[in-house]
């Protein structure tokens, strides 16, 4: 089953088109990595998919349900109530975590499931504690974000997203704000999720990681998908000039 | 008149001074938030009108505003304020004036919030209201507390403006005594009273800041 379907997505900022006709399908359990140079539109694509940015043209579906439909080249959004429903299909992990600083770790994770999804408090707390123990943070549930390292904060933010029981997760450069020695712990968590067949779309500059963890790699440049396919093929044997050029910088 | 007699007489007005102080805070703090939200409204007309009102309230003396509220009804409708309505006029003028100042403080605080906080809440499904009340406002309160303290300290001193309307709070009583006794002492006493009140304010506000220092 397809969790996410984006077709012919177009997005412009101040008259300048930064996404040209992007299509992307993610099926259940699939891990897709998006790589590409700075300014190529990776974040914008993720922000369109997570409804943080409104696309100008194209369509967007979660689990076959339409969030955005294309009407003669124009993007038409579903009602706010429908979008609210669809938002629970996905979670987003930000580059700079965006934890709520005035909440404890536990409250960061438990508030939305109880408040938004109206789930039972005991169940939500059990889920949160389970997630925290999987993240190796069982002893930090009463800490405030400022008391945690960047890597720990990012693990909390992953737990916060997972606590909503989403069908898929988006990551926008989850390790870019971290010191190199903390990068590994986050990549390990994401690898663990991949092993459990969590559906994920990951924007990353970690090429080896993208190759190892994903089923599909997309190379974007200048707002278009230049090349995509099997991770080993793309990363080890790119065919397009721009992909070759981009990847040569990482070797 | 002895010093003690002066102090006793003037402290009889402290209740009214406190009434102006607390009622002004009670109304201007929430009103300021509402005004800040109107000032930031996407509706250009609402935001422009609010902005103009804030500008007038901050750009003219509080004393003039007191006079406008107290005597405006007479010049407009021939209605003379009853003595018991004096406090009402004072509270209206003070609340509007302070709401304008608080609105700009709230606005600064709200605009200083990183957009990531809104986005994180939005993706988790928080509504606009939930995001504001649960995520944004609590953090804004912490951020603006030092500026609010400044305004509250100014408010303590500004209560003395009520003498413009001959409202018999502590300072007006002091001024009356000063006139009748040809003495400077009542002003010294008033100064001490204001200083003491502001020491309490400063203490209370620093406790609030401490209470909010559990996170950064
Ligand atoms: N809010 C915005 N307003 C105007 N232009 C924007 C905005 N957001 C992004 N852009 C522009 O859109 C283009 C794509 O930006 P985007 O952030 O999606 O790139 P990216 O691939 O994520 O880059 P990076 O690797 O640096 O994160 C850039 O040219 C950027 O300047
Ligand atoms: Mg980006």
């Amino acid at each position: 089953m397809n969790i996410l379907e984006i077709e012919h997505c177009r997005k412009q900022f101040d008259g300048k088109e930064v996404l040209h006709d992007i299509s992307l399908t993610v099926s259940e359990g699939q891990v897709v990595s998006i790589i590409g140079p700075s300014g190529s539109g990776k974040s914008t694509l993720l922000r369109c998919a997570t409804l943080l940015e409104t696309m100008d043209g194209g369509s967007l579906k979660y689990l076959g349900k339409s969030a955005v439909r294309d009407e003669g080249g124009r993007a038409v959004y579903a009602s706010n109530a429908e979008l609210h429903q669809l938002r629970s299909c996905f979670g987003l992990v930000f580059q700079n975590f965006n934890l709520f600083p005035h909440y404890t770790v536990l409250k960061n994770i438990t508030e939305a499931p109880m408040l938004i999804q109206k789930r039972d408090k005991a169940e939500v707390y059990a889920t949160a504690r389970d997630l925290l123990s999987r993240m190796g943070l069982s002893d930090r549930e009463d800490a405030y974000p400022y008391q945690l390292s960047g890597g720990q904060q990012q693990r909390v933010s992953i737990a916060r997203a997972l606590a909503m029981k989403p069908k898929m997760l988006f990551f926008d450069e989850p390790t870019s704000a971290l010191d190199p020695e903390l990068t590994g712990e986050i990549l390990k968590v994401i690898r663990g999720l991949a092993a459990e067949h969590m559906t994920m779309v990951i924007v990353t500059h970690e090429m080896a990681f993208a190759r190892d963890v994903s089923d599909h790699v997309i190379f974007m440049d200048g707002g278009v998908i230049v090349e995509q396919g099997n991770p080993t093929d793309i990363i080890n044997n790119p065919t397009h000039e721009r992909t070759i050029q981009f990847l040569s910088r990482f070797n | 008149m002895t010093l003690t007699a002066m102090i006793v007489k003037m402290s009889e007005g402290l209740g009214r001074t406190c009434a102006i102080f607390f009622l002004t805070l009670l109304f201007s703090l929430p009103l300021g938030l509402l005004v800040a939200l109107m000032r930031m409204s996407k509706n250009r007309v609402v935001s422009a009108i609010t902005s103009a009102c804030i500008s007038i309230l901050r750009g003219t003396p509080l004393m003039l505003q007191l006079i406008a509220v107290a005597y405006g009804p007479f010049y407009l409708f021939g209605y003379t304020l009853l003595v018991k309505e004096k406090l009402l006029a004072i509270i209206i003028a003070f609340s509007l004036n302070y709401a304008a100042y608080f609105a700009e403080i709230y606005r600064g605080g709200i605009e200083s919030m990183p957009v990531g906080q809104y986005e994180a809440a939005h993706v988790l499904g928080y509504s606009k209201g939930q995001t504001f009340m649960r995520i944004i406002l609590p953090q804004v309160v912490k951020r603006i507390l030092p500026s609010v303290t400044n305004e509250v300290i100014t408010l303590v001193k500004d209560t003395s403006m009520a003498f413009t309307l001959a409202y018999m709070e502590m300072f007006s009583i002091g001024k009356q005594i000063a006139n009748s006794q040809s003495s400077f002492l009542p002003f010294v006493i008033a100064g001490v009273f204001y200083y003491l009140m502001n020491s309490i304010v400063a203490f209370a506000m620093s406790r609030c800041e401490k209470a909010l220092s559990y996170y950064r």
Side-chain angles (χ1 to χ4, degrees), chain B residues 77-106:
Chain B
F77 321 111
Y79 179 81
T80 315
L81 223 59
L82 304 172
V83 174
K84 62 179 183 190
E85 286 166 339
K86 254 186 214 170
L87 179 62
L88 180 68
I90 291 168
I91 297 305
I92 291 175
F94 270 73
S95 298
L96 289 175
N97 180 273
Y98 272 81
Y101 281 94
F102 285 136
E104 289 298 275
I105 293 175
Y106 280 119

Side-chain angles (χ1 to χ4, degrees), chain A residues 11-14 16-19 36-47 53 95 172-173 203 205 220 223:
Chain A
K11 170 71 187 172
Q12 54 182 32
F13 287 115
D14 322 312
K16 183 174 154 272
E17 195 161 271
V18 298
L19 294 179
S38 186
S40 56
K42 307 180 297 294
S43 296
T44 307
L45 177 60
L46 240 56
R47 292 171 58 80
E53 215 63 87
Q95 181 173 343
D172 191 359
E173 302 194 31
V203 171
H205 287 297
M220 279 180 73

Side-chain angles (χ1 to χ4, degrees), chain A residues 6-72:
Chain A
I6 299 178
E7 273 168 0
H8 309 299
C9 171
R10 284 189 297 104
K11 170 71 187 172
Q12 54 182 32
F13 287 115
D14 322 312
K16 183 174 154 272
E17 195 161 271
V18 298
L19 294 179
H20 318 279
D21 193 13
I22 301 263
S23 296
L24 166 67
T25 302
V26 182
S27 58
E28 189 159 15
Q30 205 181 15
V31 179
V32 175
S33 290
I34 303 177
I35 59 173
S38 186
S40 56
K42 307 180 297 294
S43 296
T44 307
L45 177 60
L46 240 56
R47 292 171 58 80
C48 286
T50 52
L51 305 170
L52 285 175
E53 215 63 87
T54 49
M55 43 207 252
D56 300 316
S59 66
L60 168 65
K61 279 184 196 160
Y62 282 99
L63 301 164
K65 286 182 220 118
S66 179
V68 187
R69 57 203 158 75
D70 196 295
E71 268 182 20

